[in-house]
Amino acid sequence: PIDYTPGPASAEIVAVQAAATASPTSTIVLGEEVSAEVEEEIIRLSNAQNEANGTGDSDNLMRDRLLADDAVWVSSAGHVMTKDDYLAAVRANFAANQNQRISPHDDYTVRRFGDTIIQLGRSNSINEDGSAGPRRRYMNVFTNRGGQWWYIAHGATTIVP
């Protein structure tokens, strides 16, 4: 299992999240509710992926302990990537911009469909000057394999004001 505990949010992250408004599209009405424990685990895994993406930690966290080998990643720009493609993109993006900011996520909904979980959330980008950047709605898909939750798919789209 991944041992990940997020650090406290900075003042600028808190300000961006406070300015964001909830969207009625964040509610999934299908599937089953999950226990608080499972919801916490899924959100923790999602946050661990976000942290690894922002810190360039694709070789450790995401390769062996989070992303399934058959994972598919669809970016908000519409790029479809395999696990290896995505990890290479994370490394390249981090090498090009080691001072990038991690986008805080919020507005979570987690629903279960058998051994599959769909998690919706919102990503709130922060520009280099600390102002609010583009926001995205994303969907993560996890499956339980051998008693462990694995990230198997991601799709994102930009929220247009």
Side-chain angles (χ1 to χ4, degrees), residues 80-138:
V80 179
M81 296 175 270
T82 65
K83 175 182 176 176
D84 289 340
D85 295 337
Y86 173 67
L87 295 178
V90 168
R91 287 189 297 274
N93 186 42
F94 184 74
N97 182 10
Q98 294 186 9
N99 295 320
Q100 65 183 319
R101 297 172 184 265
I102 297 169
S103 299
H105 291 181
D106 64 5
D107 200 17
Y108 304 112
T109 301
V110 179
R111 300 293 286 186
R112 189 175 195 148
F113 300 81
D115 285 339
T116 301
I117 286 192
I118 294 177
Q119 179 227 359
L120 292 183
R122 181 177 53 201
S123 174
N124 302 291
S125 298
I126 301 173
N127 295 321
E128 286 190 28
D129 66 2
S131 64
R135 294 176 30 206
R136 290 171 294 283
R137 176 72 57 196
Y138 65 87

Side-chain angles (χ1 to χ4, degrees), residues 5-88:
T5 304
S10 69
E12 57 194 9
I13 288 174
V14 171
V16 167
Q17 289 177 327
T21 57
S23 167
T25 59
S26 67
T27 302
I28 301 174
V29 295
L30 302 174
E32 300 172 4
E33 289 186 34
V34 298
S35 68
E37 179 181 278
V38 169
E39 181 173 4
E40 183 179 297
E41 174 73 0
I42 293 301
I43 291 172
R44 188 178 65 76
L45 292 171
S46 178
N47 286 335
Q49 174 278 319
N50 186 45
E51 179 86 16
N53 189 51
T55 60
D57 186 18
S58 65
D59 287 333
N60 175 25
L61 179 64
M62 290 192 289
R63 184 188 65 218
D64 297 329
R65 298 188 293 153
L66 181 59
L67 290 178
D69 289 339
D70 54 350
V72 63
W73 194 272
V74 181
S75 74
S76 60
H79 300 278
V80 179
M81 296 175 270
T82 65
K83 175 182 176 176
D84 289 340
D85 295 337
Y86 173 67
L87 295 178

